[in-house]
Amino acid sequence: MTIDQRKKMIVLMINMFIAVASFAIVIPILPEYLMGLGEGGKAAGLIIALFAAAQFFMSPVAGKWADQYGRKKMIIAGLVFLTLSMFVFYFSNNIWIVYVSRIIGGIGAALLIPAIFAYIADITTIEQRARGNSLISASISLGIVVGPGIGGFFADFGVRAPLLASALLSVVAVLFSMIVLKESTQPTTNSRESSTDSMVKKIAQSVRKPYFIPLILTLVMSFGLLAYESVLSLFVDNQFGATPKQIALMITSTGLIGVIVQLFVVDRLVRRFGERRTLTYFLAVTTVGFLLSLFASTYTLFFVVTLFIFLATSILRPVITTLISKLAGNEQGFAMGMNNAYMSIGNVAGPVIAGIFYDVHIYSPFLLGFVVMAITTTFAFVWQRKQQRKENMHA
């Protein structure tokens, strides 16, 4: 990458890190905060689901807007919504206001994330795309790792202190983007597809796109990962008597694994094997991980299996995004918006279905994950072979 590309990439990474960390900051205080409102696990689940649902419904429109009005405007708008969300969260004394704050936050994430990935596509070549997406994914993982630590520190000053810290950090991100970030493309208003089309129409449009199969893979991966994450702490507490520190260690370690592989491994894998082969290989690795989770008999073994799964998904996330970006051509905003929408479907369905299955039997979410990933891996392998044959015929 050139010096100018590196500078822009650093700005985007800082934005994504701040956006993710600003919400991750509140994780350590959520149980106490909800207890103060007389709420419990149901409210915690709705906080996640409402954020993802709002992100889902807004993502296709937001992605199209990134093409029509420019990446910078959408990035700043997304950060403004996230900032507003955290201030509403901070001042709320009612669980319904908290829910509203998460809907606002979901809209902000929908505006921000497609625009950032579309910006990456604007400033990188096809060969550099995987590296660029890996760096952004690494900043997401780092935000997930660092955020809770910052939240734990501010929690010493009161249960609401991390919420205020999060809101102020988001303000910094807005100002930083307004001053430093430059527009990466000329906005266009001559798109044949209306940005006001309904979600059903957007989904129908995506079915006809050349990147539809990778979008489905995004949905499945998000479903499996969020299903696993949503019952992780409950499972290790129930099955192995894990302490809060052991659970925190597991979450932090998986986040660090994600940062490391996204910074130093993904680009090398893609250069050697290509996106499609890397995709099928690590879908298979994830499938094996879910199978092994059914047989992990101690906390240590389950910890190792969890690292194994998160390592694979940390590679899959930027690889799928890169594949979609390469197939999207000149409609990067719409493609990244749909990528975000399909991911949100998985983010909503995963925790809900896993929770239902967990109440039936604590191992059933992992069995479900194994079955879904095994079917998806087989399908991806067949698709990859078909794509390879098409390329050989046209060679």
Side-chain angles (χ1 to χ4, degrees):
M1 290 186 181
T2 64
I3 295 176
D4 183 58
Q5 284 176 312
R6 290 194 184 100
K7 287 181 179 178
K8 291 176 179 177
M9 190 67 67
I10 289 171
V11 173
L12 295 174
M13 290 177 68
I14 291 173
N15 275 332
M16 188 64 88
F17 169 78
I18 291 177
V20 174
S22 67
F23 181 70
I25 280 175
V26 310
I27 291 175
I29 57 95
L30 266 182
E32 184 178 351
Y33 179 86
L34 291 174
M35 188 181 300
L37 296 178
E39 301 290 341
K42 179 182 177 182
L46 280 172
I47 284 174
I48 296 172
L50 286 172
F51 185 96
Q55 191 175 353
F56 163 68
F57 284 108
M58 191 68 188
S59 287
V61 175
K64 202 63 187 175
W65 284 350
D67 287 334
Q68 291 181 334
Y69 306 117
R71 322 306 193 199
K72 179 178 178 177
K73 288 181 181 178
M74 291 301 103
I75 289 173
I76 292 174
L79 290 170
V80 167
F81 270 84
L82 286 169
T83 303
L84 176 62
S85 169
M86 295 317 303
F87 273 115
V88 172
F89 203 157
Y90 173 69
F91 287 109
S92 66
N93 288 302
N94 183 292
I95 190 62
W96 294 102
I97 303 300
V98 174
Y99 293 157
V100 170
S101 80
R102 300 324 302 142
I103 292 172
I104 296 171
I107 293 172
L111 294 170
L112 176 73
I113 295 173
I116 284 184
F117 280 112
Y119 199 116
I120 293 295
D122 293 337
I123 66 172
T124 58
T125 64
I126 292 294
E127 292 75 20
Q128 296 168 335
R129 196 72 48 80
R131 176 62 174 168
N133 287 331
S134 296
L135 291 172
I136 295 300
S137 295
S139 66
I140 293 173
S141 298
L142 190 61
I144 293 171
V145 171
V146 173
I150 298 174
F153 171 78
F154 280 102
D156 290 340
F157 300 96
V159 70
R160 290 178 178 268
L163 299 173
L164 180 59
S166 174
L168 295 176
L169 188 61
S170 295
V171 171
V172 172
V174 172
L175 297 175
F176 179 74
S177 296
M178 292 176 66
I179 296 170
V180 177
L181 196 63
K182 307 297 181 184
E183 185 54 74
S184 63
T185 187
Q186 287 295 322
T188 175
T189 56
N190 60 356
S191 173
R192 290 176 298 172
E193 298 166 347
S194 171
S195 63
T196 59
D197 283 345
S198 69
M199 171 58 68
V200 174
K201 288 184 179 180
K202 296 291 185 181
I203 295 292
Q205 289 169 9
S206 72
V207 172
R208 301 191 298 270
K209 301 297 183 181
Y211 45 85
F212 174 63
I213 298 302
L215 287 175
I216 293 297
L217 297 178
T218 294
L219 189 158
V220 173
M221 187 196 70
S222 300
F223 174 90
L225 186 59
L226 263 293
Y228 191 90
E229 285 183 339
S230 64
V231 299
L232 178 63
S233 58
L234 294 174
F235 178 82
V236 295
D237 174 59
N238 183 288
Q239 195 70 8
F240 308 122
T243 65
K245 285 187 177 180
Q246 287 177 315
I247 295 171
L249 175 63
M250 185 178 290
I251 294 172
T252 301
S253 299
T254 54
L256 288 174
I257 284 288
V259 173
I260 292 169
V261 300
Q262 287 159 357
L263 285 177
F264 303 109
V265 178
V266 174
D267 190 47
R268 290 182 172 87
L269 286 171
V270 171
R271 288 179 182 274
R272 181 169 180 179
F273 301 111
E275 286 86 6
R276 288 196 297 268
R277 289 173 65 190
T278 303
L279 183 64
T280 52
Y281 292 160
F282 283 92
L283 281 171
V285 171
T286 306
T287 303
V288 172
F290 272 96
L291 177 62
L292 292 175
S293 68
L294 296 170
F295 300 98
S297 57
T298 65
Y299 167 82
T300 301
L301 287 175
F302 194 82
F303 193 160
V304 172
V305 170
T306 299
L307 289 177
F308 190 68
I309 291 173
F310 275 75
L311 183 149
T313 55
S314 295
I315 292 170
L316 284 171
R317 187 182 296 114
V319 169
I320 295 176
T321 302
T322 300
L323 187 57
I324 293 170
S325 178
K326 286 186 175 182
L327 295 171
N330 61 358
E331 52 179 27
Q332 294 294 325
F334 178 79
M336 291 301 104
M338 292 310 303
N339 184 43
N340 207 21
Y342 276 72
M343 179 180 66
S344 298
I345 295 173
N347 288 349
V348 173
V352 173
I353 295 176
I356 294 172
F357 273 66
Y358 185 85
D359 288 340
V360 174
H361 192 281
I362 61 173
Y363 276 99
S364 60
F366 308 112
L367 178 59
L368 172 67
F370 167 68
V371 172
V372 170
M373 293 307 302
I375 294 171
T376 304
T377 301
T378 303
F379 179 77
F381 179 77
V382 173
W383 174 74
Q384 190 260 337
R385 293 292 295 272
K386 286 183 178 179
Q387 294 297 112
Q388 188 64 51
R389 283 198 296 269
K390 287 181 181 179
E391 290 180 0
N392 291 339
M393 289 175 61
H394 290 90

